[in-house]
Each structure stands twice: as C-alpha cells, then as structure tokens.
Amino acid sequence: MTTGDEPIRVLVVEDDPVAADAHVMYVGRVPGFVAVGKAHTGAEARRALERTPVDLLLLDLHLPDAHGLQLARTLRAAGYHADVIAVTSARDLAVVREGVSLGVVQYVLKPFTFATLRDRLVRYAEFRAAAGEASGQAEVDRALATLRAPGPVALPKGLSGPTLERVTDALRGSEEGLTAAALAETVGISRITARRYLEHLVDAGRAGRSPQYGQVGRPELVYRWAREHPR
C-alpha cells in the first residue's frame, strides 16, 4: 500500500485496447494516481500483479477469459488485496451487491467521460486518506460517504448535465483558457449557449473570466478553470 505522498498505483484491466489506452491516460491526468500497467485479460492481470505492486484495479467486468468478479474473487483468495473500481455496461444490481464483498468500492458505467472517472478516483483517494480512530458513528458514516457520488444538482433552466460535463472537460483541458466562441466550436454548441454554461461555472466558483484585448474592437472574455477547484 502507498504511504505519505506516494501515488496510488492503478492497474487498468480492459479487453478493448483503445479503451485501455484511454483509461490509462485518464488515470495519469488525476493528481495522486499513476497507471502502473494495463492488461487485456484476467490472465494478464494476474501476471501483472505478480510483478508489480498495485493499490487499485480499474477492472472491466467483461473480459474474454473471465468475468471481472470471478477474477476479483480469485485474486482475493490468492492474497491480493487491491481495491477495485468496476467498469461495466451492465446495470444488474445483483452484480453490484456481489461486488461489495470482493473489494469493489466503486462502479463506473460505460460509456463514461474523464470527469466521471476523475470524480470516482478523487473520492477514493479521500477515503484512503482517512486515518486514525473514528470518534463515533457519524465519523464512520462521513468516511464511507466520501465513496458515494453526490446526488444530481439542479441546473439552471436550459442547461443539461451531459453538456455541462463536456464544457467542463474542455475548459479544464485548456491551459490558456477559452472564449465563448472557441468553446462553442470545441463542444459543438452555439456561442450564446457556450456563454451561458461558462457564466454558470463562474457563478459556481469553478471558473474565472478576464478580458482579452485584441488589436481592434471590444475585448473578448477569456474563461479559465479555477485550478484550485478539484472538480
């Protein structure tokens, strides 16, 4: 297990090579995490665990040689205690219940965006960071609650969650910031709509804005993600 400032070591287990590469890239973009390898089958995952210390499995449940929960069960029996974030397109709650006893701490439903995985990883890191003896039931409940995603937040009329997530990803990924026009082109929405989403992020304290002066005409507003904001 990692201690102090050491990163949380993640093994990506995903049979689709393109998806596996994307998940490795996603993990590498979250501070405090490092992808130490990837495997496309259960057998490859077991071999990787034999040679590399791992704290967390990002585990696709549908592998060509084994179901992900079967693999998790085998690993537990063999003495591997890495936690698991399960990746699946299945929505069977019986599978969710079974996974709890096998070290599955989170589920991510396919298809998902970087923002979704980042949220799960950040919450997992907060859960791992909790240390010491709980003072009572309330503190235990708070520690466990860090693993749960928050309930849906009501958005202003006309704004949608999926589009907001795309806007957020685009803004977070731009070091120089984006104007409403640049965001509109990137995300595929109108300039007016882009400005509404950007202003919503500013109002929520998740972004800032400043004027950008050109050679002629009125200055454009440039929006930048508030880097101290984790999500």
Side-chain angles (χ1 to χ4, degrees), residues 4-30:
D5 295 327
E6 294 180 15
I8 295 172
R9 299 162 297 198
V10 182
L11 176 65
V12 172
V13 186
E14 164 66 56
D15 68 324
D16 183 335
V18 174
D21 288 342
H23 297 170
V24 167
M25 180 185 67
Y26 284 174
V27 170
R29 289 171 61 187
V30 182

mmCIF file of all heavy atoms in Angstrom, residues 4-30:
data_model
loop_
_atom_site.group_PDB
_atom_site.id
_atom_site.type_symbol
_atom_site.label_atom_id
_atom_site.label_comp_id
_atom_site.label_asym_id
_atom_site.label_seq_id
_atom_site.Cartn_x
_atom_site.Cartn_y
_atom_site.Cartn_z
ATOM 1 N N GLY A 4 2.149 8.248 2.716
ATOM 2 C CA GLY A 4 2.616 9.608 2.528
ATOM 3 C C GLY A 4 2.185 10.184 1.199
ATOM 4 O O GLY A 4 1.023 10.168 0.835
ATOM 5 N N ASP A 5 3.186 10.731 0.473
ATOM 6 C CA ASP A 5 2.899 11.393 -0.788
ATOM 7 C C ASP A 5 3.049 10.468 -1.989
ATOM 8 O O ASP A 5 3.035 10.924 -3.123
ATOM 9 C CB ASP A 5 3.832 12.602 -0.959
ATOM 10 C CG ASP A 5 3.570 13.670 0.094
ATOM 11 O OD1 ASP A 5 2.407 13.816 0.499
ATOM 12 O OD2 ASP A 5 4.530 14.344 0.504
ATOM 13 N N GLU A 6 3.223 9.182 -1.767
ATOM 14 C CA GLU A 6 3.362 8.261 -2.889
ATOM 15 C C GLU A 6 2.042 8.170 -3.643
ATOM 16 O O GLU A 6 0.966 8.179 -3.048
ATOM 17 C CB GLU A 6 3.770 6.878 -2.382
ATOM 18 C CG GLU A 6 5.156 6.826 -1.759
ATOM 19 C CD GLU A 6 5.496 5.427 -1.282
ATOM 20 O OE1 GLU A 6 4.785 4.482 -1.689
ATOM 21 O OE2 GLU A 6 6.450 5.280 -0.512
ATOM 22 N N PRO A 7 2.101 8.063 -4.973
ATOM 23 C CA PRO A 7 0.858 7.974 -5.746
ATOM 24 C C PRO A 7 0.157 6.637 -5.541
ATOM 25 O O PRO A 7 0.782 5.639 -5.169
ATOM 26 C CB PRO A 7 1.338 8.131 -7.193
ATOM 27 C CG PRO A 7 2.754 7.640 -7.171
ATOM 28 C CD PRO A 7 3.298 8.041 -5.822
ATOM 29 N N ILE A 8 -1.120 6.639 -5.780
ATOM 30 C CA ILE A 8 -1.910 5.409 -5.745
ATOM 31 C C ILE A 8 -1.692 4.692 -7.073
ATOM 32 O O ILE A 8 -1.920 5.254 -8.145
ATOM 33 C CB ILE A 8 -3.397 5.732 -5.526
ATOM 34 C CG1 ILE A 8 -3.591 6.364 -4.141
ATOM 35 C CG2 ILE A 8 -4.259 4.474 -5.662
ATOM 36 C CD1 ILE A 8 -4.986 6.905 -3.904
ATOM 37 N N ARG A 9 -1.247 3.437 -6.997
ATOM 38 C CA ARG A 9 -0.858 2.682 -8.188
ATOM 39 C C ARG A 9 -2.066 1.938 -8.751
ATOM 40 O O ARG A 9 -2.709 1.164 -8.049
ATOM 41 C CB ARG A 9 0.262 1.712 -7.825
ATOM 42 C CG ARG A 9 1.518 2.411 -7.308
ATOM 43 C CD ARG A 9 2.437 1.489 -6.553
ATOM 44 N NE ARG A 9 1.797 0.962 -5.333
ATOM 45 C CZ ARG A 9 2.465 0.421 -4.323
ATOM 46 N NH1 ARG A 9 3.778 0.329 -4.365
ATOM 47 N NH2 ARG A 9 1.825 -0.047 -3.271
ATOM 48 N N VAL A 10 -2.347 2.168 -10.020
ATOM 49 C CA VAL A 10 -3.554 1.634 -10.656
ATOM 50 C C VAL A 10 -3.169 0.690 -11.794
ATOM 51 O O VAL A 10 -2.335 1.027 -12.641
ATOM 52 C CB VAL A 10 -4.440 2.768 -11.207
ATOM 53 C CG1 VAL A 10 -5.724 2.204 -11.832
ATOM 54 C CG2 VAL A 10 -4.772 3.782 -10.112
ATOM 55 N N LEU A 11 -3.794 -0.475 -11.808
ATOM 56 C CA LEU A 11 -3.686 -1.389 -12.936
ATOM 57 C C LEU A 11 -4.994 -1.338 -13.716
ATOM 58 O O LEU A 11 -6.061 -1.592 -13.161
ATOM 59 C CB LEU A 11 -3.424 -2.819 -12.466
ATOM 60 C CG LEU A 11 -3.396 -3.891 -13.561
ATOM 61 C CD1 LEU A 11 -2.226 -3.661 -14.517
ATOM 62 C CD2 LEU A 11 -3.324 -5.294 -12.947
ATOM 63 N N VAL A 12 -4.909 -0.999 -14.996
ATOM 64 C CA VAL A 12 -6.093 -0.942 -15.861
ATOM 65 C C VAL A 12 -6.290 -2.314 -16.495
ATOM 66 O O VAL A 12 -5.384 -2.834 -17.158
ATOM 67 C CB VAL A 12 -5.914 0.132 -16.951
ATOM 68 C CG1 VAL A 12 -7.051 0.052 -17.969
ATOM 69 C CG2 VAL A 12 -5.853 1.516 -16.326
ATOM 70 N N VAL A 13 -7.459 -2.906 -16.271
ATOM 71 C CA VAL A 13 -7.786 -4.213 -16.844
ATOM 72 C C VAL A 13 -8.990 -4.026 -17.769
ATOM 73 O O VAL A 13 -10.115 -3.830 -17.307
ATOM 74 C CB VAL A 13 -8.102 -5.252 -15.750
ATOM 75 C CG1 VAL A 13 -8.287 -6.639 -16.373
ATOM 76 C CG2 VAL A 13 -6.999 -5.288 -14.695
ATOM 77 N N GLU A 14 -8.726 -4.053 -19.060
ATOM 78 C CA GLU A 14 -9.745 -3.733 -20.067
ATOM 79 C C GLU A 14 -9.408 -4.460 -21.350
ATOM 80 O O GLU A 14 -8.274 -4.365 -21.845
ATOM 81 C CB GLU A 14 -9.788 -2.217 -20.283
ATOM 82 C CG GLU A 14 -10.496 -1.748 -21.524
ATOM 83 C CD GLU A 14 -11.981 -2.045 -21.520
ATOM 84 O OE1 GLU A 14 -12.676 -1.622 -20.579
ATOM 85 O OE2 GLU A 14 -12.432 -2.733 -22.468
ATOM 86 N N ASP A 15 -10.375 -5.216 -21.908
ATOM 87 C CA ASP A 15 -10.071 -6.030 -23.080
ATOM 88 C C ASP A 15 -9.961 -5.221 -24.365
ATOM 89 O O ASP A 15 -9.276 -5.625 -25.304
ATOM 90 C CB ASP A 15 -11.104 -7.149 -23.241
ATOM 91 C CG ASP A 15 -12.486 -6.634 -23.606
ATOM 92 O OD1 ASP A 15 -12.852 -5.549 -23.097
ATOM 93 O OD2 ASP A 15 -13.194 -7.296 -24.376
ATOM 94 N N ASP A 16 -10.607 -4.067 -24.440
ATOM 95 C CA ASP A 16 -10.547 -3.231 -25.637
ATOM 96 C C ASP A 16 -9.271 -2.385 -25.578
ATOM 97 O O ASP A 16 -9.133 -1.533 -24.703
ATOM 98 C CB ASP A 16 -11.780 -2.325 -25.684
ATOM 99 C CG ASP A 16 -11.830 -1.468 -26.941
ATOM 100 O OD1 ASP A 16 -10.757 -1.207 -27.532
ATOM 101 O OD2 ASP A 16 -12.927 -1.052 -27.334
ATOM 102 N N PRO A 17 -8.330 -2.582 -26.505
ATOM 103 C CA PRO A 17 -7.058 -1.847 -26.451
ATOM 104 C C PRO A 17 -7.229 -0.338 -26.495
ATOM 105 O O PRO A 17 -6.513 0.394 -25.803
ATOM 106 C CB PRO A 17 -6.300 -2.357 -27.679
ATOM 107 C CG PRO A 17 -6.898 -3.699 -27.965
ATOM 108 C CD PRO A 17 -8.345 -3.579 -27.597
ATOM 109 N N VAL A 18 -8.170 0.145 -27.311
ATOM 110 C CA VAL A 18 -8.382 1.591 -27.410
ATOM 111 C C VAL A 18 -8.902 2.141 -26.086
ATOM 112 O O VAL A 18 -8.426 3.164 -25.577
ATOM 113 C CB VAL A 18 -9.353 1.927 -28.555
ATOM 114 C CG1 VAL A 18 -9.677 3.426 -28.566
ATOM 115 C CG2 VAL A 18 -8.767 1.505 -29.897
ATOM 116 N N ALA A 19 -9.880 1.437 -25.494
ATOM 117 C CA ALA A 19 -10.418 1.866 -24.208
ATOM 118 C C ALA A 19 -9.359 1.780 -23.121
ATOM 119 O O ALA A 19 -9.264 2.656 -22.256
ATOM 120 C CB ALA A 19 -11.631 1.014 -23.839
ATOM 121 N N ALA A 20 -8.537 0.726 -23.160
ATOM 122 C CA ALA A 20 -7.482 0.570 -22.149
ATOM 123 C C ALA A 20 -6.516 1.747 -22.205
ATOM 124 O O ALA A 20 -6.136 2.302 -21.160
ATOM 125 C CB ALA A 20 -6.736 -0.747 -22.370
ATOM 126 N N ASP A 21 -6.116 2.141 -23.410
ATOM 127 C CA ASP A 21 -5.207 3.283 -23.545
ATOM 128 C C ASP A 21 -5.857 4.561 -23.018
ATOM 129 O O ASP A 21 -5.189 5.384 -22.371
ATOM 130 C CB ASP A 21 -4.818 3.473 -25.013
ATOM 131 C CG ASP A 21 -3.865 2.388 -25.512
ATOM 132 O OD1 ASP A 21 -3.252 1.702 -24.674
ATOM 133 O OD2 ASP A 21 -3.752 2.231 -26.741
ATOM 134 N N ALA A 22 -7.152 4.730 -23.303
ATOM 135 C CA ALA A 22 -7.854 5.916 -22.821
ATOM 136 C C ALA A 22 -7.914 5.932 -21.298
ATOM 137 O O ALA A 22 -7.703 6.969 -20.662
ATOM 138 C CB ALA A 22 -9.262 5.967 -23.407
ATOM 139 N N HIS A 23 -8.174 4.771 -20.695
ATOM 140 C CA HIS A 23 -8.265 4.710 -19.236
ATOM 141 C C HIS A 23 -6.911 4.974 -18.589
ATOM 142 O O HIS A 23 -6.827 5.630 -17.543
ATOM 143 C CB HIS A 23 -8.820 3.350 -18.803
ATOM 144 C CG HIS A 23 -10.203 3.092 -19.287
ATOM 145 N ND1 HIS A 23 -10.830 1.863 -19.185
ATOM 146 C CD2 HIS A 23 -11.102 3.910 -19.906
ATOM 147 C CE1 HIS A 23 -12.038 1.940 -19.703
ATOM 148 N NE2 HIS A 23 -12.222 3.169 -20.150
ATOM 149 N N VAL A 24 -5.850 4.470 -19.195
ATOM 150 C CA VAL A 24 -4.501 4.755 -18.688
ATOM 151 C C VAL A 24 -4.236 6.264 -18.742
ATOM 152 O O VAL A 24 -3.699 6.851 -17.795
ATOM 153 C CB VAL A 24 -3.440 3.985 -19.504
ATOM 154 C CG1 VAL A 24 -2.033 4.523 -19.201
ATOM 155 C CG2 VAL A 24 -3.509 2.500 -19.200
ATOM 156 N N MET A 25 -4.627 6.888 -19.847
ATOM 157 C CA MET A 25 -4.439 8.328 -19.991
ATOM 158 C C MET A 25 -5.260 9.084 -18.948
ATOM 159 O O MET A 25 -4.777 10.031 -18.315
ATOM 160 C CB MET A 25 -4.849 8.775 -21.395
ATOM 161 C CG MET A 25 -4.693 10.266 -21.629
ATOM 162 S SD MET A 25 -5.334 10.787 -23.254
ATOM 163 C CE MET A 25 -7.096 10.491 -23.014
ATOM 164 N N TYR A 26 -6.515 8.661 -18.743
ATOM 165 C CA TYR A 26 -7.363 9.306 -17.743
ATOM 166 C C TYR A 26 -6.723 9.236 -16.358
ATOM 167 O O TYR A 26 -6.659 10.233 -15.633
ATOM 168 C CB TYR A 26 -8.726 8.611 -17.688
ATOM 169 C CG TYR A 26 -9.674 8.942 -18.826
ATOM 170 C CD1 TYR A 26 -10.894 8.267 -18.936
ATOM 171 C CD2 TYR A 26 -9.384 9.906 -19.779
ATOM 172 C CE1 TYR A 26 -11.780 8.553 -19.966
ATOM 173 C CE2 TYR A 26 -10.260 10.190 -20.815
ATOM 174 C CZ TYR A 26 -11.465 9.512 -20.899
ATOM 175 O OH TYR A 26 -12.347 9.792 -21.907
ATOM 176 N N VAL A 27 -6.262 8.051 -15.979
ATOM 177 C CA VAL A 27 -5.664 7.872 -14.651
ATOM 178 C C VAL A 27 -4.466 8.805 -14.494
ATOM 179 O O VAL A 27 -4.284 9.431 -13.443
ATOM 180 C CB VAL A 27 -5.237 6.403 -14.435
ATOM 181 C CG1 VAL A 27 -4.391 6.265 -13.168
ATOM 182 C CG2 VAL A 27 -6.464 5.503 -14.343
ATOM 183 N N GLY A 28 -3.654 8.910 -15.544
ATOM 184 C CA GLY A 28 -2.464 9.748 -15.477
ATOM 185 C C GLY A 28 -2.765 11.223 -15.337
ATOM 186 O O GLY A 28 -1.889 12.000 -14.924
ATOM 187 N N ARG A 29 -3.990 11.627 -15.665
ATOM 188 C CA ARG A 29 -4.364 13.040 -15.573
ATOM 189 C C ARG A 29 -4.881 13.425 -14.191
ATOM 190 O O ARG A 29 -5.123 14.614 -13.943
ATOM 191 C CB ARG A 29 -5.430 13.358 -16.630
ATOM 192 C CG ARG A 29 -4.911 13.354 -18.050
ATOM 193 C CD ARG A 29 -6.061 13.465 -19.056
ATOM 194 N NE ARG A 29 -6.814 14.699 -18.903
ATOM 195 C CZ ARG A 29 -7.948 14.972 -19.559
ATOM 196 N NH1 ARG A 29 -8.460 14.070 -20.383
ATOM 197 N NH2 ARG A 29 -8.576 16.115 -19.382
ATOM 198 N N VAL A 30 -5.057 12.450 -13.312
ATOM 199 C CA VAL A 30 -5.575 12.743 -11.972
ATOM 200 C C VAL A 30 -4.404 12.808 -10.989
ATOM 201 O O VAL A 30 -3.703 11.815 -10.805
ATOM 202 C CB VAL A 30 -6.580 11.664 -11.523
ATOM 203 C CG1 VAL A 30 -7.137 12.013 -10.136
ATOM 204 C CG2 VAL A 30 -7.721 11.544 -12.533
#
